[in-house]
Amino acid sequence: MAQKFRKIGVLTSGGDAPGMSAAVRAVTRAANARGVQVMGIIGGYRGMIHDEMIELTNREVSNKIMLSGTFLYSDRCLEFKEEEGMQKAIATLKKHDIDGVIAIGGDGTFRGATDLSVRGIPTIGVPGTIDNDITASDNTIGFNTAMTTVIENVDRLRDTCESHARLNVVEVMGRGAGDITLNTAIASGAVAAVIPEAPFDEEACINKVIRLRREGKRGFLIIVSEAFPTLGEELAKKITAITKDLAEKEGNDRLWVESKFCRLAHTVRGGSPTLADRLLATKMGVRAVDELLAGNSDLIIVERAGEITTCGIRWSQVLDRMYKGTLKPGMTDAYTAEQLAEMEAFIAAKKAEFEKNYAMLNELAD
């Protein structure tokens, strides 16, 4: 028989993402509609430890669906990683008679959710991260908005690049995942993307720019992942210097490709969530409430092939490690050969799709 829930907590943790507030709104209204009270935990797990909470009612979450960032605020709490900190957090939850928690964030947030689950607090995770680096889910809350923000800014840079026959190297966020970089490079018509998932041939890239300039191309864009913090600026300087030398050598100043560097940085995190992110946040928030009230725990809500479904948090974490090549000894011991084969097939399909898109960029970027 499923546990009777009277009150649940909801938090946002880790890097903020557009749509987190929409997800909190959905959790609140779905829970209230089912007769369950909701407490908003301020500042993620830190607020849980230090008893910083507010009651969330339907009116309290009005006009929150379009907000950027997270109105519950966020923090990275090292104290929660220690047993003493976890016990303080659990004591706070018990003090407020909170029966379960919905945690919105990325992989670090989910590790905290598992820690609560194994200590007797039912917890469901909802993926809110612009990086789209939760391998088990096709999309995460904030990813679509982040890409849209990049495109809006890159399109403006394209205008001035075309006017002055320049090149702009643009560094975008995404941490160790190249999803934002690759997708925005395709959508902006960039001549190259530099991502952690594929080797970058700098010489070939520069030669391509030179060839295209000879063919009459004026404006150029190259999108670079923040996983390479110095590469973008250095690449812009190299292209400028190499093409200037070539122009002088051949006596043709049109071969000179003056290159600029732009780091979009945290502007990529901001902005009102797109329709896609508002819908995803709402659907995931409602599903999280349904799963929690059905007595389920230690799950995350994911989107696969357009459908909202679930998977185990530990399964998701192992899948992440396998995909990123960071597995540690013993992490797969709890899984059968069939389960591991399923994970490997899932990863192979995801990598194949990524490689297909990367090849498409290179084919069309001319």
Side-chain angles (χ1 to χ4, degrees):
M1 183 175 177
Q3 174 183 339
K4 174 68 175 177
F5 284 80
R6 300 154 299 169
K7 188 188 295 186
I8 65 173
V10 59
L11 63 84
T12 53
S13 179
D16 64 322
M20 279 183 162
S21 292
V24 173
R25 170 189 178 273
V27 167
T28 300
R29 293 198 168 183
N32 287 346
R34 292 155 177 74
V36 177
Q37 187 179 354
V38 180
M39 298 297 290
I41 302 167
I42 304 298
Y45 292 111
R46 185 178 300 280
M48 192 181 291
I49 290 174
H50 297 288
D51 194 4
E52 297 174 4
M53 300 191 185
I54 57 171
E55 182 178 356
L56 296 178
T57 64
N58 284 355
R59 297 288 68 78
E60 182 67 30
V61 297
S62 290
N63 299 318
K64 297 292 195 291
I65 197 168
M66 72 293 189
L67 294 183
S68 59
T70 162
F71 75 91
L72 287 182
Y73 311 129
S74 186
D75 206 336
R76 288 183 169 89
C77 182
L78 296 178
E79 189 178 359
F80 188 79
K81 293 183 177 181
E82 306 297 329
E83 186 62 36
E84 183 180 354
M86 291 179 206
Q87 291 304 322
K88 286 181 182 178
I90 290 170
T92 300
L93 296 175
K94 290 182 176 179
K95 171 186 171 183
H96 290 279
D97 297 319
I98 292 175
D99 302 310
V101 172
I102 293 174
I104 305 166
D107 53 0
T109 302
F110 296 158
R111 284 193 293 272
T114 285
D115 290 334
L116 289 176
S117 293
V118 299
R119 288 164 178 79
I121 305 295
T123 308
I124 302 291
V126 175
T129 166
I130 67 167
D131 304 330
N132 201 41
D133 61 348
I134 304 301
T135 306
S137 188
D138 293 343
N139 286 295
T140 58
I141 297 167
F143 175 51
N144 184 271
T145 307
M147 291 191 295
T148 300
T149 300
V150 170
I151 286 296
E152 288 173 350
N153 283 279
V154 167
D155 281 351
R156 289 175 172 83
L157 291 171
R158 172 198 295 283
D159 293 341
T160 189
C161 284
E162 191 69 17
S163 295
H164 292 275
R166 288 174 179 159
L167 179 148
N168 218 304
V169 180
V170 185
E171 181 188 289
V172 302
M173 296 190 81
R175 205 169 50 168
D179 295 62
I180 294 176
T181 305
L182 179 56
N183 282 283
T184 57
I186 293 170
S188 65
V191 296
V194 185
I195 56 175
E197 294 87 350
F200 175 58
D201 188 333
E202 183 180 272
E203 183 179 1
C205 178
I206 295 173
N207 287 337
K208 183 177 188 179
V209 169
I210 292 170
R211 174 178 63 80
L212 291 173
R213 174 49 62 87
R214 288 188 188 278
E215 294 173 1
K217 186 173 178 63
R218 290 180 58 84
F220 300 83
L221 293 167
I222 297 174
I223 314 297
V224 178
S225 166
E226 67 173 346
F228 307 96
T230 62
L231 188 150
E233 195 164 7
E234 292 171 355
L235 180 61
K237 290 177 180 177
K238 284 183 180 179
I239 293 173
T240 296
I242 289 172
T243 58
K244 187 174 184 180
D245 287 345
L246 180 65
E248 291 174 353
K249 180 181 178 181
E250 296 192 13
N252 181 0
D253 61 1
R254 291 184 180 276
L255 293 178
W256 179 35
V257 183
E258 185 183 5
S259 303
K260 306 290 185 179
F261 172 71
C262 176
R263 178 177 286 117
L264 296 183
H266 284 76
T267 60
V268 179
R269 283 200 183 281
S272 181
T274 58
L275 180 148
D277 272 328
R278 296 183 199 193
L279 283 175
L280 183 64
T282 300
K283 291 176 181 179
M284 286 186 164
V286 171
R287 180 63 180 266
V289 171
D290 288 342
E291 293 294 334
L292 195 60
L293 300 191
N296 297 320
S297 180
D298 211 18
L299 299 175
I300 65 170
I301 311 301
V302 297
E303 183 195 61
R304 289 189 192 154
E307 297 294 325
I308 304 300
T309 184
T310 66
C311 71
I313 293 180
R314 290 181 181 83
W315 189 89
S316 169
Q317 290 172 330
V318 171
L319 193 73
D320 263 344
R321 293 273 188 169
M322 290 177 70
Y323 183 78
K324 298 166 186 173
T326 58
L327 271 177
K328 294 181 180 179
M331 289 190 74
T332 61
D333 290 353
Y335 297 92
T336 66
E338 289 79 9
Q339 288 172 322
L340 292 175
E342 179 188 353
M343 289 182 185
E344 289 168 357
F346 186 98
I347 288 169
K350 187 154 188 168
K351 286 186 174 180
E353 179 66 19
F354 201 93
E355 290 166 2
K356 177 182 176 182
N357 288 337
Y358 187 66
M360 179 174 64
L361 166 70
N362 292 324
E363 181 181 23
L364 299 180
D366 210 346

